[in-house]
Amino acid sequence: EAQVTQNPRYLITVTGKKLTVTCSQNMNHEYMSWYRQDPGLGLRQIYYSMNVEVTDKGDVPEGYKVSRKEKRNFPLILESPSPNQTSLYFCASSLYRNSGNTIYFGEGSWLTVV
Amino acid sequence: AQTVTQSQPEMSVQEAETVTLSCTYDTSENNYYLFWYKQPPSRQMILVIRQEAYKQQNATENRFSVNFQKAAKSFSLKISDSQLGDTAMYFCAFMKFGAGSYQLTFGKGTKLSVIP
């Protein structure tokens, strides 16, 4: 079954404690990206990757890091989380840039920073 | 940079009636995709319908159809015969395609309630 898997799904953490949200896809997709969803703001892109070792900033990259060492994995790293990073996070993947209908989303990760 | 505007934060419709959700976008690109995504209370992102900008014909998926006006940069979603399961947040999204970019820009969403 085609899947984008995020972990953890729910997390409460404290300010400043480094955390990583993992994202893995089993479809051999080149493109992967991270979004955060906040009330009244829709989904905003944090980072995206067009292939292994190729990453670029989206609209709201501050406070986040990513890496793409393997094609299937695209972890989101919060080096020093702050309360304004409390949000719902989505990972997504796509086969190639022109296939607008094959964007697969993970189920979301609820992150609370206190 | 592209922007996507959904001017209706909330809407409601009676069951079995028709409702139209508005979306406008701003871009200088000529080649792009437009999407409508549905997000039910489970928060899952579900693709409802997509439209390629180079296609003049409006996309249709069962009860869902779009009115794509490229010159006006408008992309509205019409839901016919509304059902209780259509209650959700609906997001309009824009993606340009071309070398070196993979950016998907979302509107802020419209919360649709279908009333029995």
Side-chain angles (χ1 to χ4, degrees), chain B residues 57-99:
Chain B
Q57 186 173 6
N58 289 325
T60 299
E61 289 287 344
N62 301 313
R63 298 182 294 108
F64 299 89
S65 61
V66 298
N67 183 4
F68 174 48
Q69 302 288 328
K70 190 173 184 179
K73 296 179 182 175
S74 171
F75 183 61
S76 60
L77 174 70
K78 185 172 83 171
I79 306 174
S80 304
D81 185 26
S82 297
Q83 300 175 0
L84 296 178
D86 296 334
T87 292
M89 281 289 287
Y90 287 82
F91 292 101
C92 179
F94 170 102
M95 175 191 271
K96 68 176 182 178
F97 61 81

Side-chain angles (χ1 to χ4, degrees), chain A residues 14-111:
Chain A
V14 296
T15 299
K17 184 177 180 182
K18 181 180 178 180
L19 70 92
T20 299
V21 186
T22 63
C23 175
S24 181
Q25 48 92 4
N26 62 359
M27 297 166 280
N28 202 36
H29 286 171
E30 289 94 349
Y31 291 84
M32 299 185 75
S33 58
W34 277 102
Y35 302 86
R36 61 177 289 174
Q37 181 179 4
D38 302 290
L41 296 178
L43 281 79
R44 294 177 292 168
Q45 194 172 45
I46 303 171
Y47 269 95
Y48 63 95
S49 169
M50 292 184 285
N51 215 324
V52 175
E53 302 292 0
V54 181
T55 63
D56 208 346
K57 296 178 181 178
D59 296 319
V60 288
E62 296 77 18
Y64 303 95
K65 287 174 59 177
V66 292
S67 68
R68 188 92 182 271
K69 293 185 172 61
E70 305 165 282
K71 200 170 188 179
R72 64 182 290 125
N73 296 323
F74 189 46
L76 179 69
I77 304 157
L78 286 74
E79 293 271 3
S80 183
S82 62
N84 65 12
Q85 292 178 297
T86 292
S87 188
L88 173 61
Y89 291 86
F90 286 99
C91 180
S93 73
S94 178
L95 185 59
Y96 52 87
R97 60 181 174 268
N98 289 349
S99 61
N101 64 334
T102 57
I103 302 171
Y104 292 82
F105 283 85
E107 293 184 305
S109 294
W110 288 93
L111 172 64

